[in-house]
C-alpha cells in the first residue's frame, strides 16, 4: 500500500478507488505538476479527486469554488463527518461565524483543510484579501472549481461570476488548479479551459461517452401503422425479462414527451392497452410528483411518461428502455436522458419515435425565442440552443452511426459500435425507412 491508498482508507474509509480513471486523476493531481480537468458522470466520485490529494498536503488547505450553498453544505457535512475540518464563507452566515472562520484562516496554523466559496463570494473584497494572505503564506494546496461547466454559456447553468475565476488563475500561477464537471461536450470543455485560463498543458481525465450496453435507434412515426401499439409492444418487450425479480429491482421504462398533454395522453393510452403507466410533469403538485416517482422506483408502476423534468436524482439501475416521443431538445439532453437506461450495465434500448411535425414545432419555438431575445447575450444563447437542436435533427435525419454523433459531440474518437445502433446493424433498412419518412412528410 502506498501513501495515496493508505490515506484513502485512513481519511475516507475506502479500500479501493471507485474506478481506474478516479485513481489516475487523483495521482495526477497529487503530483501537482499540471492543472487538471476531470469529467466523470454524476456519482462517480469526483469530490475525492481533489479531496484526497488535498489531504496529502500537510498544513495546507484547498479553496473550492462551488455554485450553490446547498451543494457546499452537503460537501462540508460529508467532510465534517469524516472528521476533516471544512468551512465556508458566504453571505448567509452570521458575523460571528464568519469571524471564527476568518480568524482560523489567518492564524499561523489553520485547522481548516477545505474552504468552500461561491463565485459571488469570490468576487468580494473580503475574499480577495483573504486569498492574497493565504497564498502569501503558502497555505493553499489547490484551487478547485467544482461544477466547472457553469463557466460556459454552452452549459446548462451558466454563472457569469464563474468567469471572474479566470483572473484568479492568472494572478496566482504557482498553485495547481483542478476543474471538475459531469457535463463535458467539446464546446463546454473548450470554454472551461479557456475561460478559467487554466495553464497549458492541462491534464485531462474524461470518462468516454460510449456505453456499449445501450442500443440506439430511430423509428419514424409516419412509417408505422399504429404508433401507440408500436410503442406499447416495444416497452412490453423491454420489460419482459423480469419474472420473479424483487420489486425494487424490477425492470422499468421511461417515455419522454415534450408537453404535459402528451405525457397524460400517452400514459392513458398505454394503460388502456395493459401497460400500467403514470404521467409526470411540472404541472403536478409536488406531492403527486413524488408519489409517481416512488411508485416507479419501487416497481409498482413500470412505466412513466414524463417531461424532461423527470430524472434528476433518479438512480434506478434497471431501466431497460428510454423512448423519446417526437424528438429531444439537443444532443446533450438526449445523451443524458437516454443515458438513464442500463445503469446496471445490462443491455437496454434508447429509441426516438421521430415525428416531423414535432420537429417543426420545436424549430418554430426556438426561432421565436431568438426573435424575442432582448439582450445580445440572450440572443446568442437562443442561437446556441437552436444550433444544438439542428444537430439533434441531423441525428434523426442522417444515416450514420448514432454513437458517432455522441463521440463527435464530446470531442472523442468514434467508438467501435459494430452492432449497438440501428445504422450499424442494417444501414440499408434505416436508409429505406428514412426515405419513406421523407416522402410522406413532404407529401
Ligand atoms: P460526483 O461529484 O462525481 O457526482 P461524489 O464525489 O459526490 O460524486 O461521490 C459520489 C459517491 O461516491 C459518494 O458517496 C462518495 O463517498 C463515493 N465514493 C467516492 N469515491 C469512492 C471510492 N473510492 N470508494 C467508494 N465510494 C466512493
Ligand atoms: Mg460533485
Ligand atoms: Zn453505430
Amino acid at each position: 500500500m502506498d501513501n495515496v491508498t493508505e490515506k484513502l482508507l485512513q481519511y475516507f474509509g475506502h479500500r479501493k478507488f471507485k474506478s481506474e480513471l478516479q485513481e489516475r486523476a487523483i495521482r495526477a493531481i497529487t503530483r501537482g505538476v499540471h492543472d487538471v480537468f476531470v469529467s466523470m458522470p454524476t456519482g462517480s466520485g469526483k469530490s475525492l479527486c481533489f479531496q484526497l490529494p488535498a489531504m496529502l498536503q500537510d498544513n495546507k488547505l484547498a479553496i473550492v469554488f462551488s455554485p450553490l450553498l446547498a451543494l457546499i453544505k452537503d460537501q462540508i457535512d460529508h467532510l465534517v463527518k469524516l472528521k476533516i475540518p471544512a468551512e465556508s464563507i458566504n453571505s448567509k452566515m452570521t458575523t460571528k461565524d464568519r469571524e471564527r472562520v476568518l480568524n482560523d484562516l489567518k492564524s499561523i496554523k489553520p485547522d481548516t483543510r477545505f474552504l468552500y466559496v461561491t463565485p459571488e463570494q469570490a468576487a468580494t473584497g473580503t475574499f480577495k484579501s483573504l486569498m492574497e494572505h493565504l497564498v502569501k503564506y503558502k497555505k493553499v494546496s489547490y484551487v478547485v472549481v467544482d461544477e466547472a461547466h457553469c463557466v460556459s454559456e454552452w452549459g446548462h447553468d451558466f454563472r457569469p461570476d464563474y468567469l471572474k475565476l479566470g483572473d484568479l488563475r492568472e494572478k496566482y500561477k504557482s498553485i495547481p488548479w483542478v476543474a471538475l464537471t459531469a457535463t463535458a461536450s467539446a464546446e463546454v470543455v473548450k470554454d472551461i479551459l479557456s475561460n478559467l485560463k487554466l495553464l497549458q498543458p492541462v491534464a485531462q481525465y474524461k470518462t468516454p461517452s460510449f456505453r456499449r450496453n445501450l442500443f440506439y435507434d430511430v423509428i419514424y412515426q409516419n412509417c408505422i401503422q399504429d404508433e401507440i401499439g408500436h410503442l406499447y409492444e416495444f416497452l412490453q418487450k423491454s420489460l419482459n425479462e423480469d419474472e420473479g425479480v424483487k420489486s425494487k429491482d424490477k425492470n422499468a421504462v421511461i417515455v419522454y414527451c415534450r408537453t404535459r398533454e402528451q405525457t397524460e395522453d400517452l400514459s392513458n393510452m398505454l394503460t388502456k392497452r395493459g401497460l400500467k403507466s403514470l404521467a409526470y410533469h411540472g404541472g403536478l403538485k409536488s406531492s403527486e410528483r413524488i408519489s409517481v416517482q416512488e411508485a416507479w422506483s419501487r416497481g409498482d408502476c413500470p412505466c412513466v411518461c414524463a417531461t424532461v423534468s423527470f430524472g434528476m436524482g433518479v438512480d434506478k439501475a434497471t431501466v431497460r428502455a428510454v423512448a423519446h416521443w417526437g424528438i429531444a431538445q439537443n444532443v446533450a439532453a438526449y445523451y443524458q436522458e437516454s443515458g438513464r437506461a442500463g445503469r446496471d450495465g445490462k443491455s437496454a434500448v434508447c429509441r426516438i419515435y421521430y415525428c416531423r411535425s414535432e420537429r417543426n414545432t420545436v424549430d418554430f419555438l426556438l426561432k421565436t425565442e431568438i426573435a424575442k431575445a432582448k439582450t445580445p447575450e440572450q440572443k446568442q444563447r437562443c442561437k446556441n440552443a437552436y444550433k444544438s437542436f439542428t444537430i439533434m435533427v441531423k441525428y434523426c435525419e442522417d444515416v450514420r452511426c448514432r454513437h458517432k454523433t455522441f463521440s463527435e459531440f464530446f470531442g472523442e474518437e468514434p467508438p467501435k459500435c459494430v452492432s449497438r445502433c440501428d445504422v450499424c446493424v442494417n444501414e440499408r433498412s434505416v436508409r429505406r425507412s428514412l426515405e419513406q419518412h421523407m416522402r410522406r412528410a413532404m407529401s
Side-chain angles (χ1 to χ4, degrees):
M1 223 202 273
D2 69 347
N3 192 31
V4 179
T5 35
E6 199 175 291
K7 293 293 192 290
L8 174 67
L9 182 61
Q10 182 190 330
Y11 289 120
F12 297 94
H14 302 312
R15 299 194 168 270
K16 288 187 310 202
F17 292 99
K18 206 159 181 165
S19 64
E20 196 204 314
L21 196 65
Q22 188 191 44
E23 173 167 10
R24 287 200 287 127
I26 286 173
R27 293 193 183 278
I29 293 167
T30 302
R31 281 192 295 278
V33 182
H34 298 296
D35 284 358
V36 174
F37 169 71
V38 178
S39 159
M40 301 196 299
T42 304
S44 44
K46 286 186 292 296
S47 311
L48 192 77
C49 293
F50 62 83
Q51 286 171 348
L52 177 53
M55 290 309 287
L56 294 165
Q57 300 239 0
D58 291 334
N59 303 320
K60 288 191 180 187
L61 61 99
I63 295 173
V64 186
F65 297 114
S66 176
L68 297 170
L69 288 177
L71 287 177
I72 290 179
K73 187 177 178 307
D74 283 351
Q75 299 235 345
I76 291 182
D77 288 350
H78 182 72
L79 288 166
V80 169
K81 239 185 236 152
L82 295 168
K83 306 210 157 39
I84 298 172
E87 299 287 355
S88 156
I89 31 176
N90 61 67
S91 54
K92 293 268 153 37
M93 67 204 302
T94 61
T95 320
K96 204 172 142 210
D97 223 15
R98 175 194 298 262
E99 292 285 292
R100 177 184 61 77
V101 175
L102 288 174
N103 281 339
D104 176 60
L105 292 170
K106 297 207 167 163
S107 67
I108 297 171
K109 272 184 81 176
D111 285 330
T112 305
R113 301 303 302 271
F114 294 91
L115 176 66
Y116 281 84
V117 185
T118 60
E120 290 74 23
Q121 186 66 35
T124 63
T126 313
F127 178 79
K128 284 183 182 154
S129 69
L130 173 66
M131 176 114 180
E132 188 80 43
H133 173 93
L134 291 171
V135 173
K136 185 172 159 203
Y137 292 99
K138 299 200 168 27
K139 288 181 192 166
V140 182
S141 54
Y142 297 95
V143 175
V144 178
V145 184
D146 205 3
E147 314 292 343
H149 57 273
C150 293
V151 81
S152 170
E153 292 205 53
W154 286 100
H156 37 85
D157 16 49
F158 174 58
R159 294 281 291 272
D161 277 310
Y162 256 61
L163 287 171
K164 298 182 192 142
L165 300 177
D167 299 337
L168 289 179
R169 177 56 205 110
E170 275 199 314
K171 190 160 175 208
Y172 302 111
K173 289 224 161 65
S174 61
I175 302 158
W177 276 45
V178 180
L180 312 98
T181 179
T183 29
S185 72
E187 262 135 351
V188 173
V189 176
K190 212 172 102 206
D191 279 358
I192 290 174
L193 302 186
S194 68
N195 292 349
L196 289 179
K197 301 181 184 157
L198 298 182
L199 299 188
Q200 293 292 348
V202 176
Q204 298 194 28
Y205 295 86
K206 277 184 72 179
T207 307
S209 65
F210 181 51
R211 289 174 60 200
R212 172 161 295 285
N213 62 322
L214 301 187
F215 180 88
Y216 280 85
D217 66 6
V218 177
I219 300 287
Y220 301 98
Q221 281 194 28
N222 63 359
C223 295
I224 49 182
Q225 292 286 330
D226 165 17
E227 299 96 325
I228 307 296
H230 198 284
L231 175 67
Y232 168 79
E233 296 287 333
F234 165 59
L235 299 174
Q236 278 295 16
K237 196 165 154 254
S238 307
L239 288 167
N240 238 339
E241 311 118 31
D242 74 336
E243 307 295 331
V245 180
K246 280 203 304 288
S247 22
K248 171 168 94 34
D249 303 326
K250 265 193 189 165
N251 287 341
V253 295
I254 308 172
V255 182
Y256 279 112
C257 309
R258 187 176 55 80
T259 68
R260 295 173 183 184
E261 293 72 40
Q262 288 170 340
T263 67
E264 305 270 359
D265 291 349
L266 278 181
S267 69
N268 284 336
M269 289 190 280
L270 290 170
T271 304
K272 241 179 232 156
R273 293 200 186 218
L275 171 59
K276 209 169 151 196
S277 310
L278 289 169
Y280 181 104
H281 54 74
L284 299 176
K285 285 206 280 290
S286 86
S287 60
E288 291 172 315
R289 285 205 301 273
I290 291 168
S291 91
V292 170
Q293 186 172 319
E294 282 181 354
W296 180 81
S297 300
R298 270 199 313 270
D300 294 347
C301 173
C303 176
V304 168
C305 299
T307 56
V308 295
S309 60
F310 181 75
M312 287 285 273
V314 164
D315 62 348
K316 195 168 174 65
T318 54
V319 177
R320 294 274 72 84
V322 173
H324 277 69
W325 195 250
I327 191 168
Q329 275 280 333
N330 56 60
V331 173
Y334 184 54
Y335 182 79
Q336 190 182 39
E337 288 149 20
S338 61
R340 300 201 168 106
R343 289 260 167 84
D344 56 3
K346 292 183 192 155
S347 189
V349 182
C350 307
R351 170 172 290 180
I352 294 179
Y353 277 92
Y354 187 60
C355 169
R356 216 177 148 84
S357 63
E358 271 295 307
R359 174 218 160 217
N360 292 341
T361 306
V362 179
D363 193 275
F364 173 78
L365 292 174
L366 290 172
K367 277 185 178 146
T368 312
E369 294 278 310
I370 297 176
K372 278 200 314 212
K374 291 203 178 67
T375 65
E377 294 80 30
Q378 249 176 24
K379 203 165 217 77
Q380 191 54 49
R381 222 163 303 151
C382 294
K383 281 184 179 166
N384 288 354
Y386 185 76
K387 194 177 151 205
S388 307
F389 174 68
T390 58
I391 304 174
M392 195 62 229
V393 173
K394 272 175 81 72
Y395 172 98
C396 300
E397 294 190 354
D398 274 357
V399 182
R400 65 200 283 272
C401 174
R402 313 287 178 194
H403 286 284
K404 204 167 165 182
T405 301
F406 295 134
S407 62
E408 225 159 64
F409 180 76
F410 289 107
E412 300 162 2
E413 293 290 307
K416 293 191 177 61
C417 172
V418 187
S419 62
R420 301 311 295 155
C421 82
D422 52 351
V423 176
C424 291
V425 166
N426 191 342
E427 184 172 335
R428 269 184 50 201
S429 145
V430 175
R431 193 175 299 283
R432 228 178 297 127
S433 309
L434 180 65
E435 280 163 8
Q436 190 185 30
H437 158 80
M438 286 301 189
R439 262 196 319 277
R440 291 185 179 175
M442 299 306 171
S443 64

